[in-house]
């Protein structure tokens, strides 16, 4: 299956061959995490936790179900989710008086509790997060990690004394994102979503998008500023120094298993996955190369190598199955292990291991005395190379246009927009492209005309087909 020609089929093929997820579970869009896929996701979660903990967020875990009465308090929010939530209507044989929603996200679960938790300005900022499963009834075609109905989800929720403090939180979220994305070797761009596309109930939404090889964008997360849109209906107030009661300003930040979907789509090739070293379930696979009568010596050396790497904190796997090295290479290439180490009779004589990089096929040797440091160095080089390559691909897909004639295919388009909804809808409907929004916090000054009506404007937007 060729990645460039038929991305959708190629993607499904890779997920299946690498055994990341099993979609044979008898509910469509609710897939089983296999050990290999789950390990990769747990490594991603590890970096999310690390960054959130470092910025003084506290992890919590809220109940899965939300009473309908709480769910309906913010009217835009319920409108946005009306058609995609799962309802629990019975408990045992009894019909419930108040139906329950399986959380599609947790604003309406958390905010009644925030109203109890926040009392005075000294309780602020309140910064919490959780990593849980959420549920959305997707009606579009489902696809592992990218569009599922049970979603492995990260969400942070914060409360602040003022709009400015909430804005600072969004800057911090952007900073956190850059650190996590670096681990995944994922380039992305940030766009302030149009008013008709922002999160239900938000003051504004920043979408985080990356690009797939077919030129379609994939949203991998979002950051929202709520102002007091939720704190008013949920009555989350604090007492300030003057004894006045004020509504808190809130933000949220969400990302999901789509991060893994994005990694697969961006980095893998026709041979299989390419796992970024930081999240690879196994960063190194060791393959012993036996020749006549040396199996005891080679096995011992391979085990020694494994223990040295493990001592160095590297996730290594020794493949001592009784099959030809060639078929081992093939299997681990599909699974995307970043670095392969071979050790045979001649390597032992020379006190080295032979390495092969998964990303570019480069080969060489590493001194066994300093194999931990040597491997670490190469894994770092692989990470940088993956990021560089992905960035170049993303940049190559962006094209600035100033006319509606000869609209290019498979590109992320940048153009002027006057900001009026009519022009926006007209563009989206005519070309079946989605306006992702205006670049977030861009230093670049735009000067041009609205692509639709021709009015002069200093606002540019990005539009693309989306996954
Ligand atoms: Zn216009």
């Amino acid at each position: 299956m060729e990645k460039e020609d038929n991305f959708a089929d190629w993607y499904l093929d890779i997920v299946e061959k690498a055994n990341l997820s099993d979609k044979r579970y008898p509910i469509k869009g609710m897939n089983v995490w296999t050990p290999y896929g789950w390990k990769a996701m747990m490594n991603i979660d590890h970096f999310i936790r690390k960054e959130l903990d470092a910025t003084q967020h506290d992890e919590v875990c809220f109940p899965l179900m939300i009473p309908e009465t709480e769910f309906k308090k913010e009217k835009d929010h319920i409108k946005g989710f009306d058609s995609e939530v799962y309802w629990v209507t019975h408990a045992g044989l009894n019909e419930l008086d108040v139906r329950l929603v399986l959380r599609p996200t947790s604003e309406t679960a958390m905010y009644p509790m925030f109203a109890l938790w926040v009392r005075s300005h000294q309780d602020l900022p309140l910064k919490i997060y959780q990593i849980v499963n959420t549920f959305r009834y997707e009606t579009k075609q489902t696809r592992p990690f990218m569009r599922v109905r049970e979603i492995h989800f990260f969400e942070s929720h914060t409360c602040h004394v003022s709009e400015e403090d909430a804005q600072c939180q969004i800057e911090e979220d952007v900073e956190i994102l850059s650190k996590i994305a670096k681990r995944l070797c994922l380039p992305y761009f940030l766009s302030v979503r149009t008013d008709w596309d922002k999160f239900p109930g938000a003051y504004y939404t920043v979408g985080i998008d990356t690009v797939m090889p077919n030129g379609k964008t994939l949203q991998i997360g979002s950051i929202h500023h709520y102002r007091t849109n939720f704190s008013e209906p949920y009555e989350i107030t604090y007492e300030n120094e003057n004894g006045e009661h004020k509504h808190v300003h809130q933000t949220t930040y969400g990302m999901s298993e789509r991060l893994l979907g994005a990694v697969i789509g961006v980095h893998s090739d026709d041979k299989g996955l390419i796992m970024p070293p930081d999240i690879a379930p196994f960063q190194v696979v060791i393959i012993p190369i036996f020749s006549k009568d040396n199996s005891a010596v080679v096995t011992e050396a391979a085990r020694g190598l494994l223990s040295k790497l493990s001592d160095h904190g590297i996730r290594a796997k020794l493949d001592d199955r009784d099959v030809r090295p060639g078929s081992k290479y093939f299997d681990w290439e599909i699974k995307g292990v970043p670095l392969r180490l071979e050790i045979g009779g001649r390597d032992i004589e020379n006190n080295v291991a032979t390495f092969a990089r998964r990303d570019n096929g480069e080969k060489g040797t590493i001194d066994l005395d300093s194999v931990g440091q040597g491997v670490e160095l190469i894994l770092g080089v692989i990470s940088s190379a993956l990021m560089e390559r992905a960035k170049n691909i993303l940049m190559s897909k962006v094209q600035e246009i100033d006319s509606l004639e000869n609209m290019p295919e498979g590109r992320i388009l940048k153009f002027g927009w006057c900001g009026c909804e009519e022009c926006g809808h007209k563009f989206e409907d005519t070309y079946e492209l989605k306006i992702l929004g205006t670049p977030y916090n861009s230093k670049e000054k735009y000067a041009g005309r609205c692509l639709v009506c021709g009015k002069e404007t200093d606002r540019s937007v990005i539009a693309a087909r989306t996954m």
Side-chain angles (χ1 to χ4, degrees):
M1 199 72 69
E2 305 265 311
K3 179 176 183 176
E4 299 293 335
D5 301 336
N6 188 348
F7 176 71
D9 291 343
W10 170 88
Y11 177 84
L12 289 177
D13 198 48
I14 291 278
V15 169
E16 189 140 331
K17 280 192 183 140
N19 196 12
L20 289 164
S21 164
D22 196 331
K23 61 174 195 292
R24 291 173 297 180
Y25 191 75
I27 303 178
K28 188 171 173 269
M30 297 191 184
N31 304 327
V32 180
W33 286 92
T34 58
Y36 196 66
W38 189 242
K39 277 193 180 88
M41 193 67 230
M42 288 302 100
N43 289 335
I44 295 174
D45 288 352
H46 165 77
F47 290 114
I48 294 176
R49 284 199 170 90
K50 193 174 162 204
E51 297 306 332
L52 271 286
D53 293 346
T55 44
Q56 280 79 53
H57 290 75
D58 290 313
E59 187 166 4
V60 295
C61 189
F62 268 72
L64 164 64
M65 290 193 257
I66 304 165
E68 181 172 14
T69 40
E70 296 300 339
F71 191 68
K72 288 192 165 165
K73 270 188 185 163
E74 207 293 325
K75 58 182 188 338
D76 288 339
H77 189 68
I78 172 69
K79 239 189 277 161
F81 281 108
D82 224 0
S83 61
E84 44 179 279
V85 289
Y86 286 90
W87 290 101
V88 175
T89 57
H90 286 75
L93 299 175
N94 302 324
E95 192 172 338
L96 295 171
D97 294 337
V98 178
R99 299 188 299 167
L100 304 169
V101 171
L102 298 191
R103 64 176 160 234
T105 168
S106 301
E107 280 74 5
T108 59
M110 291 179 173
Y111 298 173
M113 299 309 293
F114 284 10
L116 302 173
W117 292 353
V118 176
R119 284 275 158 256
S120 88
H121 60 95
Q122 281 167 349
D123 298 324
L124 299 172
L126 175 71
K127 295 164 73 167
I128 60 131
Y129 75 96
Q130 65 179 11
I131 300 178
V132 292
N133 288 12
T134 58
F135 295 80
R136 293 186 195 180
Y137 179 61
E138 279 287 352
T139 47
K140 289 189 198 162
Q141 192 183 5
T142 57
R143 179 175 290 136
F145 312 122
M146 288 191 184
R147 185 171 289 115
V148 288
R149 290 173 174 173
E150 180 169 357
I151 311 159
H152 183 75
F153 191 64
F154 148 79
E155 52 182 324
S156 76
H157 295 256
T158 67
C159 298
H160 306 268
V161 293
S162 65
E163 184 176 332
E164 294 70 43
D165 281 12
Q167 184 55 39
C168 290
Q169 182 58 49
I170 287 179
E171 302 302 328
E172 183 176 271
D173 293 344
V174 168
E175 196 55 34
I176 290 170
L177 171 67
S178 77
K179 289 181 180 162
I180 294 168
K182 199 171 165 204
R183 302 285 185 174
L184 307 185
C185 310
L186 271 188
Y188 57 88
F189 46 94
L190 298 174
S191 313
V192 180
R193 292 286 193 248
T194 58
D195 267 348
W196 63 88
D197 192 35
K198 67 186 182 185
F199 184 76
Y203 159 47
Y204 73 83
T205 289
V206 180
I208 308 162
D209 300 286
T210 189
V211 66
M212 293 294 106
N214 57 5
K216 290 186 181 178
T217 57
L218 179 71
Q219 180 171 347
I220 49 173
S222 47
I223 303 171
H224 314 286
H225 195 314
Y226 291 160
R227 270 189 174 162
T228 57
N229 293 353
F230 282 89
S231 63
E232 286 173 30
Y234 287 91
E235 294 173 48
I236 312 170
T237 59
Y238 69 96
E239 193 177 305
N240 69 11
E241 279 113 333
N242 309 322
E244 298 159 323
H245 288 268
K246 298 272 185 195
H247 287 106
V248 299
H249 287 256
Q250 291 177 279
T251 77
T252 59
Y253 182 8
M255 292 192 290
S256 73
E257 59 183 86
R258 271 198 183 180
L259 288 169
L260 181 56
V263 162
I264 299 163
V266 167
H267 297 302
S268 307
D269 62 19
D270 293 342
K271 283 194 218 162
L273 284 181
I274 300 178
M275 281 282 185
D278 280 342
I279 63 152
F282 305 115
Q283 298 168 305
V284 174
V285 59
I286 302 165
I287 315 264
I289 310 290
F290 301 115
S291 52
K292 255 188 201 158
D293 306 328
N294 72 355
S295 80
V297 182
V298 169
T299 301
E300 196 194 319
R303 285 189 186 146
L305 184 52
L306 176 67
S307 96
K308 268 189 190 171
L309 292 177
S310 305
D311 288 349
H312 208 86
I314 291 161
R315 296 187 292 277
K317 167 98 181 164
L318 169 60
D319 187 351
D320 52 7
R321 290 177 299 159
D322 188 18
V323 296
R324 287 179 305 108
S327 62
K328 293 183 183 177
Y329 298 168
F330 181 80
D331 291 347
W332 294 108
E333 269 172 4
I334 290 178
K335 288 201 172 278
V337 175
L339 194 65
R340 183 174 82 219
L341 290 184
E342 298 154 27
I343 187 152
R346 184 170 301 171
D347 297 310
I348 295 169
E349 274 168 33
N350 295 331
N351 197 39
V352 296
T354 301
F355 74 81
R357 279 170 61 173
R358 172 64 181 89
D359 63 318
N360 66 1
E362 190 188 308
K363 288 182 180 169
T365 57
I366 313 179
D367 197 319
L368 284 181
D369 292 332
S370 55
V371 72
Q373 289 94 319
V375 164
E376 204 173 353
L377 205 72
I378 298 173
L379 292 176
V381 172
I382 293 173
S383 290
S384 309
L386 287 176
M387 186 58 140
E388 197 58 31
R389 185 161 73 185
K391 265 188 188 160
N392 289 337
I393 292 173
L394 183 139
M395 291 316 293
S396 76
K397 304 268 184 203
V398 179
Q399 188 171 341
E400 202 161 334
I401 56 167
D402 55 10
S403 145
L404 291 167
E405 317 257 300
N406 305 322
M407 193 75 82
E409 273 295 316
R411 289 272 177 275
I412 300 163
L413 303 174
K414 189 180 167 192
F415 54 87
W417 176 42
C418 65
C420 92
E421 277 203 23
E422 204 188 322
C423 286
H425 286 311
K426 202 164 157 189
F427 175 84
E428 286 191 332
D429 297 345
T430 314
Y431 300 100
E432 287 174 9
L433 287 155
K434 181 182 147 101
I435 295 180
L436 298 173
T438 53
Y440 175 75
N441 236 354
S442 170
K443 306 269 181 294
E444 192 188 324
K445 260 261 155 275
Y446 186 83
R449 289 177 178 281
C450 173
L451 191 67
V452 182
C453 71
K455 211 184 280 171
E456 268 187 36
T457 182
D458 59 2
R459 184 199 305 226
S460 68
V461 285
I462 303 278
R465 276 189 222 289
T466 57
M467 284 299 298

